[in-house]
Every structure is written in C-alpha cells, then in structure tokens.
C-alpha cells in the first residue's frame, strides 16, 4: 500500500517571511486512521501548522519522509517492533527532520533508548492536544520535548552513568579547539553564536561536536554538557567574546550568563523545575539534542 498523500495548502510557504518557517510542516505516521484524522482536525485549528503527509506503516513512513518536505514527523512507536532503530534510520535518511515519538504509555527504557538515538520529542498517546501543539513548536524551535517524568528518567540515567568507577570510561584528550567549542556548549550557546566566537562556520562547529561525541562516548548535547561539567573537562577555559557588531542571540546570552553563574547546578535545576509541570521543553542548546 502506497503512502497516503495529503494535499498541501495552496498558499504554503507564501507570506511576509518569504516562506521561511511560516508553517510547521508535519507528517503523521500512525497505525490508526481515527488518530491520524483527529490530529489533522487539531492542527487545522492552528494557523502555523500544516499536515503535509501521512502514513500507516513503517514502509510508508520512510517513503513519506523521503517524498514530502516536512519539519516534524509524528511517529507512533507501535508502527514497528523496534521503534528505536526506526528513529535512527529515519534520522540517517533525513538529518533535518525532527521526530516526535508517540508511545502507548509511560516506559522508562523506551524513553531513554529513543532519547539516546535522537528522538526530539516523546509524548504519551494520551497527551492533551494543546500540549502536542506546544511540543511541535518547541521541537521546531530546536528544543527537545519530554514530560516531567521523562526528564527525571534522563537525569537519573546520567547520574547512574557518572557514578560508575572512573576506570569504566577511558580518559580522552580534547584539542584546544574542541575544548573551546565544548565550553561554549556547556554555557548554553547555539552553534551560530559558537561559530561567531571561535571564528568559524556552523558546519565546522557541528563537525567538531561529532568528533567530540565519539571521543567521549556521549550521544548528544545533554550528555556532553553534563559529562564535561561533572568531570571538569572545560574548567578555566576562557570563551572569546563576540566580535563587535555581530548579531547576538538574546536567549543564548541569557543561558550563558545563567550557566556561568550557577556552574554545574544548572542542569539539576532544569530537572527539578520541570517536575512541577505536566510537561517541559528541555532546551537543546544545553541539555538538548545532537548538534
């Protein structure tokens, strides 16, 4: 059975911003037609969200991800016996795609495995429509979405990892450039600001981060930042200032100031704060996803 096409809005991409990021383009991949139809009705009420494709099998999902230009894929975990590998395959096929996985219920092992393999958001099938809409917007903005329980699981898993004997993880030596870039990451800077500060491009920053991930055996910015803070990898590393007249990301600067002022306590603060709400967005600029 072929991928089920969904027509695009005829004005898709038009508007005052030249079509750049006006809509959140979504592919809905779910085994139940009634669930897909329900999501389309929910998103139809939002001015900035468009469903551009849908699928009901894993094969259709892979085809839809290749065929349609989308920002987010809503992926039901039950589409495949191994959703973790499926997410990794989809990200290899399209590294720019943001994936929100819908799980049948609270599952610590599945949540941690999906998060490690690159899922940008994880929600329960019982998620409220308003929270799912907020999740899509946060994910497209570069953040990772987990509910408060998911955040606690991730933080506890990392604490358990860092409490292992020191000999369980080989010591590595970062180059001065790698150390500088990692220091910027731990202070909550985005790749664009890091590139400006160290005098390079965003792509070069991404390349350096991939190498650092491999060296340290971490999967994403969350593990990288916490590992470096816990093991004092970037202590006393001075971050160069932004060049004069360069655009400054206000959020990045605020995050950097907060991180430098609170040190290693910033990550635990995020976890404790998120426990007070039904869901939370974990910023990918410090504890978030990939590059």
């Amino acid at each position: 059975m072929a991928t089920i096409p969904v027509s695009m809005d005829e004005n898709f991409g038009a508007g005052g911003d030249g079509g750049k990021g006006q809509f959140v383009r979504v592919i809905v991949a779910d085994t139940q037609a009634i669930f897909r139809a329900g999501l389309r009705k929910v998103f139809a009420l939002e001015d900035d969200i468009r469903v551009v494709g849908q699928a009901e099998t894993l094969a259709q999902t892979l085809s839809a991800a290749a065929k349609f230009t989308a920002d987010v894929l809503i992926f039901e975990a039950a589409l495949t016996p191994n959703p973790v590998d499926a997410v990794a395959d989809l990200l290899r096929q399209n590294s720019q795609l943001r994936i929100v996985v819908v799980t049948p219920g609270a599952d610590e092992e599945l949540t941690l495995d999906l998060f490690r393999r690159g899922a940008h958001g994880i929600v329960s099938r019982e998620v409220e429509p308003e929270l799912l809409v907020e999740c899509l917007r946060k994910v497209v903005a570069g953040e990772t979405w987990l509910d408060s329980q998911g955040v606690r699981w991730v933080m506890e898993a990392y604490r358990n990892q860092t409490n292992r004997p020191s000999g369980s993880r080989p010591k590595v030596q970062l180059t001065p450039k790698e150390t500088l870039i990692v220091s910027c990451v731990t202070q909550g800077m985005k790749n664009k600001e890091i590139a400006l500060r160290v005098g390079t491009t965003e792509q070069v920053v991404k390349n350096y981060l991939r190498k650092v991930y491999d060296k340290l055996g971490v999967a994403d910015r969350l593990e990288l930042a916490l590992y470096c803070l816990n093991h004092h990898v970037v202590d006393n590393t001075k971050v160069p200032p932004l060049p004069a007249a360069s655009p400054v990301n206000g959020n990045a600067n605020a995050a950097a100031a907060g991180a430098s002022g609170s040190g290693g306590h910033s990550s635990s603060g995020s976890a404790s704060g998120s426990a007070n709400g039904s869901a939370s967005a974990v910023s990918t600029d410090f504890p978030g996803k990939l590059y």
Side-chain angles (χ1 to χ4, degrees):
M1 187 174 181
T3 300
I4 306 168
V6 177
S7 60
M8 286 190 178
D9 190 296
E10 63 181 359
N11 294 319
F12 184 86
D17 63 354
K20 295 182 179 179
Q22 183 180 6
F23 298 119
V24 177
R25 300 162 296 186
V26 180
I27 296 172
V28 179
D30 196 277
T31 56
Q32 296 185 18
I34 190 170
F35 188 80
R36 298 194 304 269
L39 289 187
R40 290 188 64 192
K41 289 182 179 180
V42 169
F43 298 150
L45 300 175
E46 307 298 326
D47 294 335
D48 59 336
I49 299 178
R50 296 289 185 272
V51 176
V52 298
Q54 59 179 339
E56 61 182 358
T57 68
L58 178 59
Q60 291 176 12
T61 303
L62 291 166
S63 177
K67 178 178 180 181
F68 298 113
T69 300
D71 302 299
V72 182
L73 167 64
I74 298 177
F75 181 82
E76 183 194 10
L79 278 169
T80 171
N82 195 336
V84 176
D85 285 348
V87 166
D89 290 341
L90 285 160
L91 289 173
R92 278 193 292 269
Q93 175 180 296
N94 184 351
S95 61
Q96 301 303 313
L97 187 64
R98 320 293 288 184
I99 300 179
V100 174
V101 180
V102 180
T103 62
D107 187 323
E108 180 177 359
E109 183 177 358
L110 179 60
T111 296
L112 293 175
D113 286 345
L114 287 168
F115 189 73
R116 291 187 182 110
R117 297 299 290 274
H120 303 84
I122 302 170
V123 298
S124 167
R125 201 164 184 80
E126 289 75 35
V127 64
E128 292 294 329
E130 295 81 4
L131 281 179
L132 182 57
V133 168
E134 184 181 357
C135 168
L136 297 187
R137 290 173 178 149
K138 292 288 187 180
V139 163
V140 168
E143 301 183 18
T144 297
W145 182 275
L146 292 171
D147 62 17
S148 56
Q149 187 176 46
V151 172
R152 289 194 294 272
W153 286 337
V154 169
M155 298 302 295
E156 185 61 29
Y158 188 80
R159 291 189 187 102
N160 291 339
Q161 181 181 17
T162 56
N163 286 336
R164 294 172 186 168
S166 58
S168 62
R169 187 193 292 262
K171 292 186 179 292
V172 295
Q173 185 70 38
L174 298 181
T175 67
K177 192 70 165 284
E178 289 170 344
T179 302
L180 183 58
I181 289 174
V182 169
S183 179
C184 291
V185 171
T186 64
Q187 295 186 45
M189 299 180 194
K190 297 181 179 179
N191 289 345
K192 183 176 182 180
E193 182 179 356
I194 296 174
L196 287 171
R197 286 180 182 271
V198 303
T200 186
T201 66
E202 290 183 64
Q203 185 58 52
V204 170
V205 171
K206 291 180 180 180
N207 294 340
Y208 269 104
L209 287 176
R210 291 190 186 99
K211 293 177 182 178
V212 170
Y213 291 170
D214 290 339
K215 280 187 176 183
L216 300 181
V218 299
D220 48 45
R221 292 174 96 106
L222 168 64
E223 292 191 9
L224 173 63
L226 293 179
Y227 173 85
C228 290
L229 290 172
N230 186 68
H231 292 81
H232 308 285
V233 173
V234 293
D235 286 1
N236 303 317
T237 301
K238 293 183 178 180
V239 177
L242 280 169
S246 294
V248 178
N249 185 297
N251 291 334
N253 283 345
S260 61
S262 59
H265 298 291
S266 59
S267 58
S268 61
S270 298
S272 61
S274 63
N276 295 326
S278 60
S280 61
V282 184
S283 171
T284 57
D285 299 326
F286 172 20
K289 160 70 186 66
L290 289 185
Y291 315 121

